[in-house]
Amino acid sequence: MCCWDCEKCKEHDIIMNNTCQTCATGYVPSHHFSKCSKLTLKYIDINSPLAVTLITISLFGIVIDFAVFVVFFVNRHKPLIKASSLEMCYMMFLGIFVIFLIPVTSLAKPTAGLCYFGRFLMGISYTICYAPLCMKLWRIYRIFKSSHDIRRMSGLLGRRSQLLITFGLIAIQALFFILISSTNPPDLVENFYAHTGELHLECYLTAPVFIAYLTYNVVLMLLCTVYAFITRQCPKNFNEAMHIGVTMYLSCVVWVVFLASFLNVNDSISRVYWICGASVVIGWITLLGLFTPKVYQVFTKRYVDESTLITWRNSLLRRLASASTSEEPTSPGLVKQNPMTIQGEKLQLTVPKRMLSSSDNDKRNSKL
């Protein structure tokens, strides 16, 4: 007297009491469609060939970064190294070291602590590298392009002022991390990707949050590129500005390719690989581009002409400022020559000579 109608269940349904029930997100039907089983969590395998390659290159970069730091520290009294603004170089060494740490922390199995630590490194590492470089280029630009206003700018060009401004720029990025983490914390989540049917264990990071973290660093990088281009013809310090310019041009290319690829990838594992690969490339470009010419000059140049160097001492800035205030206007009978020339750490003042007329010669002869 009764009959049964067959109903076809969906792909992720199980049969309970002769009805179809859909499994929760991240679960799939068992072999007999009697219960839902959780998918196996997938995350980056640190033993995979690509992960091992990235970590090896990063660790080798840390070793080279430390070796170059030792070279700078041992030769810190040499004129070429002293003219490189050691405080800024030391901070850049630290920034490159932190950049190379990103693959080591990102390719490990995700944990709640690594999520916070990895996101903090991702934002602060580039700031530690680009902030001192930006201040260094800005100082070169102000000295050689605004020498007529050296008295007003001498307070900002000193060593202490440069360090305070640099720490201030880094503190801004740290403040961004606190604000973004308070509204969008880097929690450890299990994310199911329907197009692949995989359940990934990952640190929660969306594209807008990632762009917010890197926007400040991109601004610093663009400022470094602009100042490097403006000062590219500065011959001091063995064309240091030109080497910095080439480094920043290559970094810009890497950033453009990286951001475009990162935003077009949908799964978290591929995004982590892109982040680690970009960090390795940018770390090596920065290390080799900024410091290889200096190391080469240190080991090949037995004598360095100090007139080809930029002095970074505050005493010179004070002397420049006092010289600019004591400079008197030139009268019609005076020929104004170059008032200030910088040679190494010495300030040479060329005293204007008075052009004597014939009447002045007669008076001098009569006195004699």
Side-chain angles (χ1 to χ4, degrees):
M1 295 296 298
C2 68
C3 60
W4 296 89
D5 292 331
C6 294
E7 179 184 355
K8 187 176 182 180
C9 298
K10 297 181 180 179
E11 182 180 359
H12 296 287
D13 290 354
I14 61 173
I15 303 172
M16 298 248 340
N17 299 324
N18 293 326
T19 59
C20 299
Q21 292 187 2
T22 304
C23 293
T25 302
Y27 289 79
V28 293
S30 62
H31 182 68
H32 299 287
F33 298 95
S34 58
K35 62 179 181 178
C36 294
S37 301
K38 188 177 180 180
L39 287 170
T40 303
L41 284 175
K42 294 192 64 175
Y43 49 87
I44 293 179
D45 184 9
I46 199 172
N47 296 319
S48 63
L50 182 56
V52 171
T53 302
L54 291 174
I55 292 177
T56 302
I57 297 175
S58 298
L59 294 177
F60 184 65
I62 292 175
V63 173
I64 299 300
D65 180 63
F66 181 75
V68 177
F69 166 76
V70 172
V71 172
F72 268 64
F73 183 78
V74 171
N75 299 277
R76 62 188 182 277
H77 299 298
K78 291 188 177 181
L80 178 60
I81 302 299
K82 291 169 63 177
S84 302
S85 183
L86 281 176
E87 295 82 3
M88 300 299 166
C89 290
Y90 291 157
M91 294 186 68
M92 284 187 280
F93 285 135
L94 177 60
I96 295 173
F97 168 74
V98 179
I99 289 175
F100 282 132
L101 278 182
I102 293 178
V104 179
T105 58
S106 300
L107 295 175
K109 182 180 179 179
T111 61
L114 283 179
C115 288
Y116 276 90
F117 185 66
R119 186 181 290 191
F120 177 74
L121 287 185
M122 184 179 62
I124 204 69
S125 57
Y126 298 105
T127 308
I128 298 176
C129 188
Y130 290 143
L133 181 59
C134 183
M135 295 309 303
K136 183 176 181 179
L137 289 169
W138 180 80
R139 195 171 194 264
I140 296 174
Y141 172 76
R142 296 303 301 179
I143 289 177
F144 286 93
K145 298 299 181 180
S146 302
S147 58
H148 62 280
D149 201 17
I150 191 70
R151 181 173 61 87
R152 185 173 64 87
M153 296 301 300
S154 60
L156 295 177
L157 298 179
R159 181 179 301 176
R160 292 182 179 178
S161 300
Q162 295 286 294
L163 287 175
L164 288 176
I165 296 174
T166 302
F167 283 122
L169 294 175
I170 298 174
I172 293 175
Q173 178 63 38
L175 181 61
F176 281 164
F177 170 77
I178 296 174
L179 293 177
I180 298 175
S181 297
S182 60
T183 57
N184 195 309
D187 296 328
L188 185 66
V189 298
E190 297 177 358
N191 197 3
F192 177 73
Y193 291 88
H195 63 283
T196 59
E198 296 176 346
L199 184 65
H200 289 184
L201 180 65
E202 62 185 43
C203 299
Y204 182 68
L205 178 64
T206 60
V209 173
F210 179 77
I211 294 176
Y213 271 111
L214 296 185
T215 298
Y216 182 69
N217 292 319
V218 171
V219 172
L220 288 178
M221 183 195 64
L222 292 178
L223 287 176
C224 292
T225 306
V226 171
Y227 281 123
F229 179 78
I230 295 175
T231 60
R232 66 191 184 280
Q233 296 180 350
C234 174
K236 298 292 184 177
N237 291 8
F238 296 97
N239 298 321
E240 181 182 25
M242 183 186 68
H243 299 148
I244 296 176
V246 174
T247 302
M248 298 314 301
Y249 304 152
L250 294 176
S251 298
C252 288
V253 173
V254 174
W255 274 94
V256 170
V257 174
F258 162 66
L259 290 177
S261 302
F262 180 87
L263 296 177
N264 287 303
V265 172
N266 293 326
D267 65 286
S268 61
I269 294 180
S270 299
R271 285 186 173 182
V272 171
Y273 278 129
W274 273 107
I275 293 175
C276 297
S279 301
V280 169
V281 174
I282 291 177
W284 274 105
I285 289 177
T286 307
L287 179 61
L288 297 179
L290 296 183
F291 299 108
T292 299
K294 293 292 182 65
V295 175
Y296 174 78
Q297 298 294 341
V298 166
F299 287 105
T300 57
K301 297 289 183 180
R302 296 184 178 180
Y303 171 77
V304 177
D305 186 5
E306 294 190 5
S307 63
T308 62
L309 303 178
I310 303 174
T311 179
W312 295 86
R313 291 187 175 181
N314 296 335
S315 58
L316 178 64
L317 296 174
R318 288 194 295 268
R319 283 181 287 173
L320 284 174
S322 61
S324 62
T325 55
S326 62
E327 183 183 0
E328 298 179 355
T330 306
S331 61
L334 297 179
V335 176
K336 185 177 180 180
Q337 297 183 4
N338 186 13
M340 295 183 297
T341 56
I342 304 175
Q343 185 174 5
E345 298 176 0
K346 298 180 180 180
L347 180 68
Q348 296 182 350
L349 295 178
T350 305
V351 181
K353 297 181 180 180
R354 181 178 179 84
M355 301 297 295
L356 300 178
S357 61
S358 59
S359 59
D360 294 333
N361 288 327
D362 294 340
K363 292 180 181 180
R364 187 181 63 175
N365 293 332
S366 62
K367 290 182 181 180
L368 293 176

